[in-house]
């Protein structure tokens, strides 16, 4: 019996194992993000647990010491609900440890961070809520502006490596980024605030103007925040620029960039869609950490300018040993860093398909 070539091919095709269907991109992306979310949930639980354990490992009874200090400050006995709140945060030797842990988690779920020792009976959550908008306004805005400015200049310098623009901008930026920030802040405060009198010396707004959304108050906020914001951008954009410039120089020589140029694509498209997009990946790691640090505030900035943000609140709590405020701020900063890194991982999946493949 004669077997034709077509029959052999058909038989071979039938004998060959069926190729497994490829996992859709959305499924790979979701699986990667789900694993990362699980990791950050475990990290958040670990941070909460450490925040619970550390005060209870301290010698003596921290809650009793805090209660005694609060009663001395207020000159009266504390209400029962305040006693329960403090003992839930810092420990009660009469209660079972597991019961304390459950009560601690329930207390955090209600956003109960205790009461401030220095500002008794103001809750810590209220102090954090009062300082957080100022920090987000100042440090959050300047972090984004510095990142965008530094990244854009870095792409321009890296794309034109060796040109006059690169020869001027890169050394100048290197010098500026090496200057300690507190020098920049103090010098700017002395020159533009004290000598020239263009900007206020301290605060976040004019205390004579009531807090509202009136144009007068908004103008006051902008006037008080302009100098701190300028010093942050001035000191921060150089690091972003140098990192992006070096990565762009490396990326320009890659095969996919040369192929895009050989296809005749426009220089702008090659620069931003092929070179800059891939060179930007390491930048997002630092940017995520910077965003996470936003809630902690630019500590030096808020100290030098007495700006009423989270950083200044933490500095005051450290000076006056206000442990409930310190614990609340540390927990807030930890969660912010975790959320910022989760967002960065999500952006990575969109920017770099290799992350999906590895996931």
């Amino acid at each position: 019996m004669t077997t034709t070539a077509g029959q052999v091919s058909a038989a071979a095709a039938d004998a060959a194992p069926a190729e497994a269907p490829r996992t859709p991109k959305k499924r790979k992306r979701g699986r990667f993000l789900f694993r990362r979310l699980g990791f950050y949930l475990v990290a958040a639980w670990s941070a909460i647990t450490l925040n619970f354990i550390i005060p209870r490992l301290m010698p003596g009874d921290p809650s009793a010491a805090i209660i005694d200090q609060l009663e001395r400050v207020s000159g009266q006995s504390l209400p029962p609900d305040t006693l329960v709140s403090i003992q839930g945060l810092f420990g009660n030797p009469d209660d079972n440890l597991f019961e304390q842990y459950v009560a601690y988690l329930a207390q955090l779920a209600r956003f109960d961070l205790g009461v401030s020792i220095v500002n008794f009976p103001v809750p810590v959550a209220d102090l954090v809520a009062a300082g957080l908008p100022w920090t987000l306004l100042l440090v959050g805005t300047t972090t984004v502006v510095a990142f965008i400015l530094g990244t854009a200049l870095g792409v321009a310098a890296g794309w034109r490596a060796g040109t006059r623009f690169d020869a001027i901008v890169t050394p100048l930026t290197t010098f500026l980024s090496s200057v300690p920030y507190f020098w920049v802040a103090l010098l700017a405060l002395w020159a533009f605030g004290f000598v020239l009198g263009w900007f206020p010396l301290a605060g976040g707004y004019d205390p004579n103007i009531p807090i509202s959304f009136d144009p007068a108050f908004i103008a006051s906020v902008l006037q008080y925040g302009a100098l701190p914001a300028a010093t942050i951008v001035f000191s921060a954009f150089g690091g972003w620029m140098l990192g992006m410039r070096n990565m762009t120089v490396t990326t320009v020589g890659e095969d996919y960039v040369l192929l895009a140029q050989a296809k005749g694509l426009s220089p702008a498209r090659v620069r931003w869609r092929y070179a800059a997009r891939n060179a930007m990946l390491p930048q997002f790691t630092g940017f995520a950490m910077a965003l996470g640090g936003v809630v902690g505030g630019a500590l030096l900035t808020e100290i030098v300018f007495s700006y009423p943000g989270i950083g200044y609140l933490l500095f005051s709590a450290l000076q006056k040993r206000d442990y409930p405020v310190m614990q609340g701020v540390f927990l807030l900063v930890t969660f912010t860093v975790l959320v910022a890194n989760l967002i960065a991982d999500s952006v990575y999946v969109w920017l770099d398909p290799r992350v999906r493949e590895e996931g």
Side-chain angles (χ1 to χ4, degrees):
M1 180 177 180
T2 306
T3 303
T4 64
Q7 292 173 327
V8 173
S9 300
D14 294 336
E19 184 180 355
R22 293 187 176 181
T23 305
K25 290 183 179 180
K26 290 185 178 180
R27 188 181 303 173
K28 289 186 177 182
R29 184 185 308 167
R31 187 172 59 187
F32 172 81
L33 292 178
F34 182 77
R35 284 210 304 264
R36 300 305 295 171
L37 178 61
F39 168 79
Y40 287 119
L41 287 176
V42 172
W45 170 80
S46 302
I48 292 174
T49 305
L50 285 175
N51 216 33
F52 168 80
I53 291 175
I54 289 175
R56 288 157 179 81
L57 295 178
M58 296 172 61
D61 186 358
S63 60
I66 292 173
I67 291 170
D68 181 63
Q69 187 173 355
L70 283 172
E71 289 180 343
R72 287 201 311 269
V73 170
S74 62
Q76 58 184 353
S77 299
L78 298 181
D81 55 344
T82 303
L83 293 175
V84 171
S85 175
I86 294 173
Q87 290 174 345
L89 289 172
F90 295 95
N92 184 358
D94 298 330
D95 292 341
N96 177 271
L97 190 62
F98 178 74
E99 294 176 354
Q100 291 186 52
Y101 185 63
V102 174
Y104 174 77
L105 295 179
Q107 193 168 334
L108 290 184
R110 298 192 303 269
F111 299 100
D112 184 0
L113 302 176
V115 295
S116 169
I117 295 175
V118 177
N119 301 282
F120 180 83
V122 180
V124 173
D126 291 351
L127 294 175
V128 171
L132 187 59
W134 296 101
T135 293
L136 293 178
L137 175 66
L138 175 66
V139 190
T141 303
T142 53
T143 299
V144 174
V145 170
F147 174 77
I148 294 175
L149 178 62
T151 300
L153 286 176
V155 172
W159 188 261
R160 306 176 188 175
T163 62
R164 181 177 298 179
F165 177 80
D166 181 41
I168 295 174
V169 172
T170 301
L172 180 61
T173 307
T174 303
F175 170 74
L176 294 178
S177 62
S178 64
V179 178
Y181 172 76
F182 65 90
W183 284 6
V184 176
L186 290 173
L187 183 61
L189 186 63
W190 174 79
F192 299 105
F194 181 74
V195 176
L196 297 176
W198 293 352
F199 300 98
L201 295 176
Y205 59 93
D206 189 345
N208 297 319
I209 302 177
I211 299 177
S212 63
F213 287 100
D214 292 339
F217 179 75
I218 295 175
S220 173
V221 170
L222 294 177
Q223 182 185 14
Y224 275 76
L227 190 58
T231 58
I232 295 176
V233 173
F234 181 82
S235 298
F237 88 93
W240 299 118
M241 184 266 178
L242 293 174
M244 190 64 187
R245 184 259 179 200
N246 295 334
M247 288 302 304
T248 302
V249 169
T250 304
T251 307
V252 165
E254 295 290 341
D255 293 340
Y256 54 84
V257 176
L258 299 177
L259 178 60
Q261 292 174 328
K263 286 182 176 180
L265 300 179
S266 65
R269 184 176 182 184
V270 175
R271 180 189 309 153
W272 294 105
R273 187 169 180 82
Y274 290 86
R277 179 175 176 177
N278 290 277
M280 201 178 295
L281 293 176
Q283 292 279 98
F284 273 100
T285 302
F287 185 57
M289 296 301 294
L291 286 180
V294 161
V295 173
L299 187 60
L300 288 175
T301 303
E302 296 186 359
I303 292 174
V304 171
F305 295 95
S306 298
Y307 197 80
I310 294 294
Y312 191 73
L313 176 65
L314 178 60
F315 174 70
S316 300
L318 289 170
Q319 278 189 319
K320 301 171 183 177
R321 298 183 181 180
D322 196 340
Y323 295 108
V325 173
M326 285 189 281
Q327 190 182 43
V329 172
F330 288 148
L331 195 62
L332 175 66
V333 172
T334 301
F335 273 91
T336 308
V337 171
L338 293 176
V339 172
N341 277 274
L342 178 61
I343 294 173
D345 285 341
S346 304
V347 175
Y348 256 79
V349 173
W350 174 70
L351 287 176
D352 191 354
R354 293 173 296 181
V355 175
R356 292 194 297 266
E357 298 298 328
E358 294 172 359

